[in-house]
Amino acid sequence: MDPRTLETLRAVGSQGGVTAAAAVLHLTPSAVSQQVAQLQHEVGVPLTERVGRGLRLTPAGEALAEAAVDVAVALERARAACDEFLERPQGVVRVSAFQSGAQLLLPALLSRVAAIDGITLECSDEDVAQDDFVALTDRMDVVVAHRPDDGPGWAGGRAVRVVPLLREPLDLAVPLDHPLAQRTEVRPDDLRDLPWVAVREGFPVATVLGAVGARSGSAPRIVHRINDFHVVEALVEAGHGVSLLPRYTFGGGARVRLVPLAGVRAGRRIDALLRRDRAERLVVRRVLDELRALAADIGSA
Amino acid sequence: MDPRTLETLRAVGSQGGVTAAAAVLHLTPSAVSQQVAQLQHEVGVPLTERVGRGLRLTPAGEALAEAAVDVAVALERARAACDEFLERPQGVVRVSAFQSGAQLLLPALLSRVAAIDGITLECSDEDVAQDDFVALTDRMDVVVAHRPDDGPGWAGGRAVRVVPLLREPLDLAVPLDHPLAQRTEVRPDDLRDLPWVAVREGFPVATVLGAVGARSGSAPRIVHRINDFHVVEALVEAGHGVSLLPRYTFGGGARVRLVPLAGVRAGRRIDALLRRDRAERLVVRRVLDELRALAADIGSA
DNA sequence: GGATCCATGCAGCAACGCTACATCGACCCG
DNA sequence: CGGGTCGATGTAGCGTTGCTGCATGGATCC
């Protein structure tokens, strides 16, 4: 019962299959399968059960996978205990963020961390569906994710730590020459019959537009579904519709006008997601501190 | 950084040397040395330092060893999590006890556990100095140990769990025809100038006689040092001196007379000592429950 | 100052876990 | 309803790891 094997089981559970787990662990499916089989033999209770052509964890498997994170946490804590005796934290930290979050946070984060000697940041942007953010924590140390203000929290339970970074309002984006462009705020009533550019179903903040529509009394008329906010911005600029855009990230530009919404709560929460064991690493904690400080700066500016 | 290596470091610390650690781990000193060297290389800080011809852990080593027990605990908890899904607990539990404790507790414990299917008890009696009880936990699952009533607790800190089992009074043991044999109790004053049979220096309850002597106003006159209470009993019976004997263990016999002490607190505490990781095992917990119930019976009888 | 004890380095060997490939079952689609 | 595909699982072979056995170098005890 070594932690590697336990971690493999955990990955099979969280990734939902042998092949997917093998991918994040940089192993062949065969190796993963063998590890699970060996673990199963060791404990004497079935840990997985076939469902269709894939498989999922049994209750016993879930229990063991949950215990596995505690093992991983204990191990990382052991490493950190030694790092305390090293004068400077050292190592590489992998950070991912959704695009607009990356644009908002990563440049400043890199600058801040560059000042700390010994820490290497590996950044990447990841555009995934709302439900897939947690799964990223298997490949990344810190996952910057966003979700609707009022939506449900993150799945993943005890295994993943959620660190709130920022709340960012979503404003109405209109062309510069739009009738609403000169307003200091708009109310739900003003939004009737506007042509909307929305994000794809299932993607973050997709539900916000629905909530706004509900307040205005009629379902919003969605004419385009675009995930990349820059493309959205270009479409809005060209008069192909209006949209909701995050204030801090797009408020500075001159291509479209952002008008605050009143009478309805529209915003997104930006959180950092980490696996509990990764959160124990000294360097990760250090980077996370910078990220939080950075977010606090933005939020209070 | 695997738990095996961590456990090895822990053993080096608790056993106080490579060779001793190798003994309890069933390895060669060479293997232990290599593991420590590898671990040291991995964390980049010195974990051990030479002292004389042996070695001890550095502060960093101590920190890592302490973290190692948390890893072990987490691992055992993972095992236990699976065992919950097995219908019956199963496995072997190694129990050791000092002689008189073994005599008092082990027969009844074996009977109780025999009624539970699947648990195998491996008992052994261990006569060690007071300070060496904790080190036994590396070889045993449950160590039944005793210490003076008022003495200091057990060393070992966070790594070892102490489960109080019983307080056993120590009575004055005199020959059947001794002047004090008919008394219902004796006071410290009555003990002046008696020839004492004591246990060897450094062994459990050695300090109790000193405390009694201090109350009587003069240092007790020790004529023999015997560790085995049965030998003590025989000496007392033959009139070669008086002694302190535990009430529950030797009260029933007709070879000597036990007279309670008044005016001075004399007794020993009987505790179960376990490593925290071992304490997580389901079977160990089960055996420990029986042991506690058994001790409660004796204490209340 | 010789004997002893302890930790450590090095060569050799066994075992373990991985990859690559083949197989089998379940789903999808024409 | 059958070919194609995807996913999990066995098997052979190989590389790596970690152990033992022995030799070495210090430090202590008598």
Side-chain angles (χ1 to χ4, degrees):
Chain A
M1 160 132 9
D2 73 346
R4 254 176 86 74
T5 312
L6 252 39
E7 166 66 14
T8 300
L9 180 75
R10 215 196 63 74
V12 169
S14 81
Q15 297 290 324
V18 171
T19 307
V24 301
L25 296 172
H26 304 291
L27 288 175
T28 58
S30 180
V32 172
S33 182
Q34 287 174 43
Q35 285 188 24
V36 174
Q38 185 216 343
L39 199 57
Q40 201 148 323
H41 175 79
E42 204 166 319
V43 299
V45 286
L47 298 172
T48 59
E49 55 191 2
R50 305 218 49 151
V51 43
R53 58 185 166 191
L55 52 71
R56 68 152 172 265
L57 300 188
T58 61
E62 292 285 359
L64 190 53
E66 197 163 315
V69 323
D70 291 327
V71 174
V73 166
L75 270 172
E76 288 303 337
R77 206 167 286 186
R79 264 197 201 88
C82 284
D83 291 354
E84 302 281 358
F85 290 84
L86 251 83
E87 60 294 338
R88 57 179 77 249
Q90 199 171 346
V92 346
V93 178
R94 287 164 302 179
V95 180
S96 85
F98 56 95
Q99 278 92 341
S100 61
Q103 180 181 344
L104 181 64
L105 297 169
L106 291 191
L109 180 64
L110 279 165
S111 304
R112 281 167 170 265
V113 172
I116 310 171
D117 204 71
I119 302 186
T120 310
L121 232 50
E122 290 183 1
C123 296
S124 63
D125 61 335
E126 297 280 347
D127 186 24
V128 299
Q130 182 80 61
D131 296 337
D132 296 340
F133 273 118
V134 269
L136 286 180
T137 56
D138 281 343
R139 288 194 291 121
M140 298 291 159
D141 294 313
V142 180
V143 172
V144 179
H146 55 165
R147 61 183 177 88
D149 233 357
D150 49 353
W154 301 101
R158 263 172 18 87
V160 47
R161 251 189 72 188
V162 178
V163 178
L165 290 180
L166 200 61
R167 180 186 179 273
E168 186 171 18
L170 293 173
D171 292 339
L172 177 69
V174 294
L176 296 175
D177 57 358
H178 193 275
L180 293 175
Q182 302 312 317
R183 300 271 287 273
T184 57
E185 63 174 39
V186 294
R187 310 195 64 82
D189 293 342
D190 301 322
L191 304 177
R192 287 175 195 278
D193 301 322
L194 288 179
W196 283 96
V197 180
V199 298
R200 282 205 297 278
E201 206 65 57
F203 276 73
V205 306
T207 59
V208 175
L209 181 55
V212 172
R215 278 308 273 275
S216 75
S218 66
R221 182 163 57 92
I222 295 172
V223 292
H224 301 295
R225 289 199 174 269
I226 303 290
N227 268 21
D228 186 315
F229 286 149
H230 288 99
V231 178
V232 172
E233 192 181 26
L235 288 191
V236 171
E237 180 184 22
H240 298 299
V242 303
S243 187
L244 293 176
L245 285 179
R247 182 179 303 170
Y248 304 140
T249 318
F250 286 88
R255 302 177 58 186
V256 298
R257 173 101 173 88
L258 293 195
V259 188
L261 287 169
V264 60
R265 183 171 172 78
R268 60 174 180 180
R269 301 213 143 269
I270 301 181
D271 296 326
L273 272 39
L274 326 84
R275 280 172 40 172
R276 275 178 47 226
D277 53 332
R278 302 271 167 78
E280 293 293 335
R281 287 180 55 199
L282 209 59
V283 276
V284 172
R285 269 157 33 201
R286 194 81 187 74
V287 169
L288 195 59
D289 287 344
E290 294 297 338
L291 193 55
R292 268 155 63 181
L294 171 59
D297 282 356
I298 295 175
S300 65
Chain B
M1 162 133 4
D2 74 345
R4 252 176 88 74
T5 312
L6 252 39
E7 166 66 15
T8 300
L9 179 75
R10 216 196 61 75
V12 169
S14 81
Q15 298 290 324
V18 170
T19 308
V24 302
L25 296 172
H26 304 292
L27 289 174
T28 59
S30 180
V32 172
S33 183
Q34 286 174 43
Q35 285 189 24
V36 174
Q38 185 216 344
L39 198 57
Q40 200 149 322
H41 175 79
E42 203 165 321
V43 298
V45 285
L47 300 172
T48 58
E49 55 191 1
R50 307 218 47 153
V51 44
R53 59 185 168 191
L55 53 71
R56 66 152 173 265
L57 300 187
T58 62
E62 292 284 359
L64 189 54
E66 197 162 317
V69 324
D70 291 328
V71 174
V73 166
L75 271 172
E76 288 302 337
R77 206 167 286 188
R79 264 198 200 88
C82 284
D83 290 354
E84 303 280 358
F85 290 83
L86 250 84
E87 60 294 341
R88 58 179 75 249
Q90 199 171 343
V92 344
V93 177
R94 287 164 301 178
V95 179
S96 85
F98 57 95
Q99 278 92 341
S100 61
Q103 180 181 343
L104 179 66
L105 296 170
L106 291 191
L109 180 64
L110 280 165
S111 303
R112 281 169 170 264
V113 172
I116 311 170
D117 206 71
I119 302 186
T120 309
L121 233 51
E122 290 184 2
C123 296
S124 63
D125 60 335
E126 297 280 349
D127 186 24
V128 298
Q130 184 79 62
D131 296 337
D132 296 341
F133 273 118
V134 269
L136 285 181
T137 56
D138 280 345
R139 289 193 291 122
M140 298 291 159
D141 294 313
V142 181
V143 172
V144 179
H146 55 166
R147 61 181 177 90
D149 233 357
D150 49 354
W154 300 102
R158 263 173 20 86
V160 47
R161 252 189 70 191
V162 178
V163 179
L165 292 179
L166 200 60
R167 180 188 180 269
E168 186 172 17
L170 293 173
D171 291 338
L172 176 70
V174 294
L176 297 176
D177 57 357
H178 194 275
L180 294 174
Q182 302 312 319
R183 302 271 289 273
T184 57
E185 63 174 41
V186 294
R187 311 194 64 83
D189 293 342
D190 301 320
L191 304 177
R192 287 176 193 279
D193 300 325
L194 287 179
W196 283 95
V197 181
V199 297
R200 283 205 296 275
E201 206 64 59
F203 275 74
V205 306
T207 60
V208 175
L209 181 55
V212 172
R215 278 310 271 275
S216 76
S218 66
R221 183 163 58 91
I222 295 172
V223 292
H224 300 297
R225 289 199 173 270
I226 303 290
N227 267 22
D228 187 313
F229 286 149
H230 288 99
V231 179
V232 172
E233 191 181 27
L235 288 190
V236 171
E237 180 185 22
H240 298 301
V242 301
S243 186
L244 293 175
L245 285 180
R247 182 180 301 171
Y248 303 141
T249 318
F250 286 88
R255 300 176 61 185
V256 300
R257 174 102 173 86
L258 293 194
V259 187
L261 288 168
V264 59
R265 185 171 169 78
R268 61 175 180 179
R269 302 213 143 270
I270 301 181
D271 296 327
L273 272 40
L274 324 84
R275 280 172 40 173
R276 275 177 49 225
D277 54 333
R278 303 270 165 80
E280 293 293 337
R281 288 179 54 199
L282 209 59
V283 277
V284 171
R285 266 154 40 197
R286 195 80 187 73
V287 169
L288 196 59
D289 287 344
E290 294 297 336
L291 193 56
R292 268 154 63 180
L294 171 59
D297 281 356
I298 295 175
S300 64

